[in-house]
Amino acid sequence: MKQKANVVQLGLAGFSRIRLKENGKLVGDSDWVKNTITDYGLDEGLGQLITAGAGSKRVAAVALGTGTAPGTASTALPGIIEDNTDGRDVPTIATVTTSDGSGITARFYGTFASSESRFTNTHAIQNIGLYASTATNQGTVLSGATYAVSTLNTNQDVEYTYEWRIATTT
């Protein structure tokens, strides 16, 4: 009797959420939006990592911007805001595994706090991206998403959650 081979399919999707707060009060919420994972993110951030390649990269920073989502061939977040040398935030990173072992979520979260003076001007923010570098002016965007435009004032905090969800099916 010939045995059928099990085929395991792997799915990768990214999502992000932005919440604006002023004096602790919620003033804006993007809700969850899908993202684009760039070619750089697939190659350097996932492919090289899985194969233990010397060029593998991991998420090191989160950036906000005024443009749309990056295209798959992009190396930078459109309209990235880097008013000063602290324009990017280093996220807290957590992983969550499903109880049945069929998937894992890599979660990146943090806050661009107004008290940190990251942004010296008011901006019409519209996108977010994960970067492999904390250095400003580095084109290492792994993925990015766009959402409805929100005005970010210098007295507001931006809370973000960004997820890469990886699931398997047989």
Side-chain angles (χ1 to χ4, degrees):
M1 180 157 103
K2 188 172 182 180
Q3 190 174 18
K4 286 186 177 182
N6 282 339
V7 175
V8 176
Q9 294 180 350
L10 178 70
L12 172 65
F15 299 88
S16 66
R17 183 176 197 169
I18 300 292
R19 294 165 42 107
L20 290 176
K21 289 193 170 180
E22 188 172 327
N23 298 321
K25 268 181 75 175
L26 185 66
V27 294
D29 188 341
S30 71
D31 209 357
W32 288 100
V33 294
K34 281 188 137 186
N35 82 154
T36 299
I37 298 174
T38 65
D39 294 341
Y40 183 83
L42 284 173
D43 180 40
E44 305 295 327
L46 189 60
Q48 294 289 334
L49 187 64
I50 290 171
T51 61
S56 67
K57 305 290 183 202
R58 56 179 275 169
V59 173
V62 175
L64 296 174
T66 60
T68 59
T72 57
S74 295
T75 58
L77 187 67
I80 188 171
I81 305 168
E82 294 185 316
D83 287 351
N84 59 38
T85 57
D86 285 337
R88 298 181 190 191
D89 189 58
V90 177
T92 299
I93 301 171
T95 56
V96 180
T97 305
T98 59
S99 60
D100 64 0
S102 64
I104 188 168
T105 298
R107 183 172 293 140
F108 312 92
Y109 59 94
T111 302
F112 287 93
S114 60
S115 62
E116 296 168 339
S117 301
R118 289 186 191 276
F119 307 121
T120 55
N121 300 306
T122 297
H123 293 282
I125 58 173
Q126 188 176 352
N127 62 10
I128 184 171
L130 296 180
Y131 271 79
S133 173
T134 58
T136 58
N137 301 315
Q138 284 267 306
T140 58
V141 70
L142 299 165
S143 62
T146 189
Y147 46 87
V149 175
S150 295
T151 300
L152 172 62
N153 296 311
T154 56
N155 66 337
Q156 293 176 324
D157 299 332
V158 179
E159 293 179 347
Y160 63 85
T161 304
Y162 206 112
E163 295 182 346
W164 275 18
R165 301 174 190 170
I166 304 167
T168 59
T169 58
T170 53

